[in-house]
Amino acid sequence: DAGVIQSPRHEVTEMGQEVTLRCKPISGHDYLFWYRQTMMRGLELLIYFNNNVPIDDSGMPEDRFSAKMPNASFSTLKIQPSEPRDSAVYFCASSPPTVLGTDTQYFGPGTRLTVL
Amino acid sequence: GQQLNQSPQSMFIQEGEDVSMNCTSSSIFNTWLWYKQEPGEGPVLLIALYKAGELTSNGRLTAQFGITRKDSFLNISASIPSDVGIYFCAGRLGAQKLVFGQGTRLTINP
């Protein structure tokens, strides 16, 4: 398996522009997570899905952020409009169904976003 | 929100030395996890702990789930250069959500 795939790996944009980050989870995994990593705040959970349905979006910082999962093999995280403080590394992770919960989260390589 | 206090923030050691790092929380967790992150990559799960008092090893790595369920530690024995990276603890709150510590950056002098 190719693992979790994220694109792009790097994104540089100007303030006010729309940014779309993409994720393809591992086939057969039914949980998908979006995280943001910064030096100041560390690794933060933004939102997660189960079977394509958003379960908890309490970590989404504000209305400028939105996430969708139209099918089991694709998810997007959109920021509109983007601001410099959104600069961070955004990770997608997926997890297989398990009675123990989602301990075995497999992370993608991340998208490094820079908003100028 | 929930926070994990991870220490130390960074470590500079000589190759061959043992390493110890820990995480504490004011809240009880039902699972503790340890991840390692290398530059340009996402975190990779090293060890998962599910029961208070549990001691689990993965090669040269050993981790324990504290009796109070509010702490965990990770030891690395006989460190080697490829151990370099950032180590994160994470606690599982409920069925799904993980809370991560701030990380311990490990640097090894050969």
Side-chain angles (χ1 to χ4, degrees):
Chain A
D1 200 317
V4 176
I5 299 172
Q6 290 187 247
S7 64
R9 291 295 309 272
H10 302 274
E11 177 81 25
V12 180
T13 189
E14 293 187 345
M15 182 174 63
Q17 296 298 307
E18 176 180 296
V19 175
T20 299
L21 311 180
R22 297 173 176 80
C23 175
K24 176 179 168 54
I26 294 173
S27 178
H29 286 192
D30 60 358
Y31 287 94
L32 184 140
F33 305 81
W34 282 102
Y35 289 89
R36 177 172 67 177
Q37 186 176 42
T38 61
M39 288 294 293
M40 291 298 296
R41 300 177 66 87
L43 202 56
E44 304 174 279
L45 176 66
L46 300 177
I47 185 172
Y48 78 91
F49 296 81
N50 179 220
N51 291 321
N52 314 334
V53 176
I55 303 301
D56 187 338
D57 64 355
S58 59
M60 296 286 262
E62 47 196 276
D63 292 345
R64 297 183 297 106
F65 286 69
S66 62
K68 295 182 179 179
M69 192 166 185
N71 57 63
S73 59
F74 184 66
S75 177
T76 59
L77 178 67
K78 186 174 295 186
I79 308 172
Q80 167 63 20
S82 58
E83 296 182 4
R85 60 193 169 116
D86 301 331
S87 298
V89 180
Y90 291 81
F91 288 104
C92 175
S94 71
S95 181
T98 170
V99 296
L100 294 176
T102 56
D103 302 330
T104 50
Q105 293 187 22
Y106 296 85
F107 283 76
T111 295
R112 181 174 295 276
L113 173 66
T114 303
V115 183
L116 303 174
Chain B
Q2 300 288 338
Q3 283 193 329
L4 296 183
N5 297 311
Q6 186 171 349
S7 65
Q9 291 186 355
S10 60
M11 301 183 73
F12 299 86
I13 64 169
Q14 297 292 325
E15 182 178 351
E17 289 185 8
D18 295 344
V19 173
S20 183
M21 60 191 78
N22 67 81
C23 263
T24 60
S25 171
S26 56
S27 302
I28 290 175
F29 289 103
N30 50 21
T31 298
W32 281 95
L33 308 169
W34 286 92
Y35 285 83
K36 179 187 178 186
Q37 185 177 20
E38 298 185 9
E41 302 294 332
V44 174
L45 181 66
L46 299 173
I47 293 179
L49 303 159
Y50 301 108
K51 292 172 57 177
E54 180 181 355
L55 185 71
T56 298
S57 294
N58 179 5
R60 294 177 295 105
L61 278 61
T62 301
Q64 185 158 29
F65 191 144
I67 290 292
T68 64
R69 296 169 62 192
K70 294 183 178 181
D71 63 335
S72 177
F73 72 76
L74 175 71
N75 287 343
I76 306 172
S77 62
S79 59
I80 59 178
S82 62
D83 291 333
V84 166
I86 303 177
Y87 291 80
F88 291 95
C89 62
R92 180 159 63 88
L93 290 172
Q96 316 303 338
K97 294 176 68 169
L98 296 180
V99 176
F100 284 81
Q102 293 290 75
T104 295
R105 183 181 295 274
L106 179 62
T107 302
I108 298 175
N109 298 317

